[in-house]
Amino acid sequence: MSQQFELFEIANPCIGVCQSNKKGYCFGCLRSRTERQLWHDMTTEQRREVLRLVNGRRQRIEQMRQRKNEQLGFDFNEAAETGELF
């Protein structure tokens, strides 16, 4: 089995927000505290796995937001229907 040569290093997903929730996940990049601390020592495969996990977290957050909007019954993107006053 041949090993693939990497032309480009996987970029750090940090966007400079650097604030964590109660569970230790960053609001900006969605990495755990451990994932952030060990990023520079990770192999390419480990970094890919972290990015895969981050993508899953992002999708779950978006699904939760959509469910919340559905439960509220509001669509802020639609123009409000107004009736005539007189």
Side-chain angles (χ1 to χ4, degrees):
M1 182 180 210
S2 64
Q3 193 168 2
Q4 185 177 351
F5 179 73
E6 291 294 327
L7 294 175
F8 303 100
E9 183 176 330
I10 296 177
N12 190 326
C14 178
I15 61 169
V17 173
C18 304
Q19 292 181 348
S20 300
N21 65 13
K22 292 177 185 176
K23 293 183 178 182
Y25 290 97
C26 178
F27 287 113
C29 66
L30 301 178
R31 291 180 294 167
S32 70
R33 188 172 287 119
T34 304
E35 291 166 346
R36 292 190 313 271
Q37 291 171 345
L38 299 177
W39 181 263
H40 294 290
D41 297 325
M42 289 181 180
T43 65
T44 301
E45 291 78 24
Q46 290 170 323
R47 289 179 180 186
R48 279 195 185 117
E49 177 64 11
V50 168
L51 294 178
R52 186 188 70 75
L53 293 170
V54 164
N55 188 42
R57 293 171 191 148
R58 187 170 283 116
Q59 289 176 352
R60 284 191 298 280
I61 290 169
E62 184 57 35
Q63 289 171 353
M64 287 177 10
R65 284 182 180 154
Q66 287 176 355
R67 275 189 245 125
K68 184 177 179 182
N69 286 339
E70 288 170 6
Q71 289 173 351
L72 292 174
F74 296 118
D75 186 359
F76 294 103
N77 295 325
E78 284 187 19
E81 188 177 316
T82 57
E84 293 198 23
L85 296 175
F86 302 100

